Amino acid sequence: MVGASLCLLKDGYEKFPMALTEVIEQNSISVIHFCPSLMNSFLNYVIENKKEKSLQSIRQVICSGEELLKSHVEKFRDSLYLNNNSLLANLYGPTEATIDVTYYDCDFTSIPDKIPIGKPIYNTKIYVVGDNNELMPIGKEGELYLTGACLAKGYINNKELTDNKFVYYEAAEEICYKTGDLVKLLSDLNIVFLGRIDEQVKIRGYRIELGEIESILGKYDGIQECCI
């Protein structure tokens, strides 16, 4: 709609910063989407090889899939922002919400210790919910509930999990998805991700259930107890 074109990387190119840099330069890429750990590796290459000027076409970088760290933002500021005035946005969203539901434009003048996941996008509502289903005030921790036009109907052929995760929330007066993510609301109404309420972790954007790994390891002969 705005005259841009989509450039797809060859399979595996995302693992090689040199090849990725060449693709960006050759195609004058203006917007690029990373998961934070991949962006960090890419920036390491850019800084070590002084490639900032060859990436002047980049005006916007988007991150999602795992937690964006303060160190990532500082590295971006010192490389692409200061040299090319490129901007960085942090997005958040689970697959069940197809997909990103909040955004935060990173502020390079004052980088917080915890990078917010931001505010809801259009047609999306966010709730911070306490242990007794109460709405949590500013500064108080709670589970992130979300709803809106983006919400999935549930899990295929898994009614039990669907009923557990997609629930009617009275304060919203509609079905919400319980993300399992622990968050809090800041005074500027941005949301900060604090961790999980269970043992799930994300590695390069993939959900990993630590309990499942422990269960499999515990089946091996000679292993009496294990902890991931």
Side-chain angles (χ1 to χ4, degrees):
M1 291 192 300
V2 295
S5 58
L6 182 64
C7 179
L8 298 177
L9 281 176
K10 291 183 179 178
D11 189 30
Y13 264 43
E14 73 279 0
K15 300 174 184 176
F16 299 97
M18 181 186 297
L20 183 53
T21 300
E22 291 176 356
V23 170
I24 293 171
E25 187 174 7
Q26 291 169 2
N27 294 277
S28 298
I29 301 297
S30 57
V31 180
I32 188 166
H33 190 176
F34 285 107
C35 73
S37 54
L38 183 59
M39 182 187 74
N40 188 59
S41 298
F42 174 72
L43 291 177
N44 284 339
Y45 169 81
V46 170
I47 293 170
E48 290 169 6
N49 294 275
K50 296 180 172 57
K51 290 287 186 177
E52 292 90 347
K53 292 301 181 184
S54 65
L55 302 173
Q56 289 182 334
S57 63
I58 297 179
R59 61 177 177 81
Q60 178 75 63
V61 173
I62 301 166
C63 275
S64 67
E66 61 189 15
E67 186 175 3
L68 182 66
L69 303 178
K70 181 180 182 180
S71 59
H72 297 152
V73 179
E74 290 174 335
K75 193 172 293 183
F76 187 96
R77 175 198 62 193
D78 297 341
S79 54
L80 296 186
Y81 173 71
L82 289 180
N83 284 278
N84 302 330
N85 204 32
S86 304
L87 301 178
L88 177 64
N90 187 30
L91 274 61
Y92 160 89
T95 303
E96 291 84 351
T98 61
I99 294 178
D100 293 311
V101 292
T102 68
Y103 76 97
Y104 174 76
D105 291 320
C106 293
D107 181 2
F108 299 112
T109 59
S110 179
I111 302 175
D113 291 332
K114 292 282 289 185
I115 307 301
I117 59 174
K119 300 176 182 178
I121 63 173
Y122 290 123
N123 299 317
T124 301
K125 298 175 185 176
I126 297 293
Y127 301 93
V128 182
V129 182
D131 293 335
N132 299 312
N133 284 334
E134 75 276 27
L135 285 173
M136 302 304 288
I138 289 173
K140 297 295 183 180
E141 300 177 0
E143 183 179 1
L144 181 65
Y145 283 29
L146 61 90
T147 188
C150 58
L151 205 62
K153 294 182 181 297
Y155 302 99
I156 294 177
N157 299 326
N158 197 333
K159 185 178 185 302
E160 182 180 356
L161 185 59
T162 297
D163 292 343
N164 183 47
K165 289 292 188 180
F166 292 82
V167 300
Y168 182 82
Y169 184 47
E170 290 186 358
E173 298 184 342
E174 56 186 323
I175 298 294
C176 290
Y177 170 63
K178 299 169 60 176
T179 65
D181 289 331
L182 188 67
V183 300
K184 70 177 179 181
L185 194 63
L186 302 179
S187 58
D188 61 2
L189 302 184
N190 278 302
I191 300 164
V192 172
F193 171 78
L194 302 174
R196 293 287 299 174
I197 63 173
D198 54 22
E199 294 184 340
Q200 185 187 95
V201 298
K202 266 195 171 182
I203 300 176
R204 295 190 298 277
Y206 292 96
R207 299 181 189 183
I208 308 294
E209 299 287 352
L210 300 185
E212 293 179 1
I213 301 175
E214 292 174 349
S215 176
I216 296 299
L217 288 177
K219 295 179 179 179
Y220 281 83
D221 292 337
I223 294 181
Q224 297 178 337
E225 189 175 349
C226 61
C227 180
I228 305 299

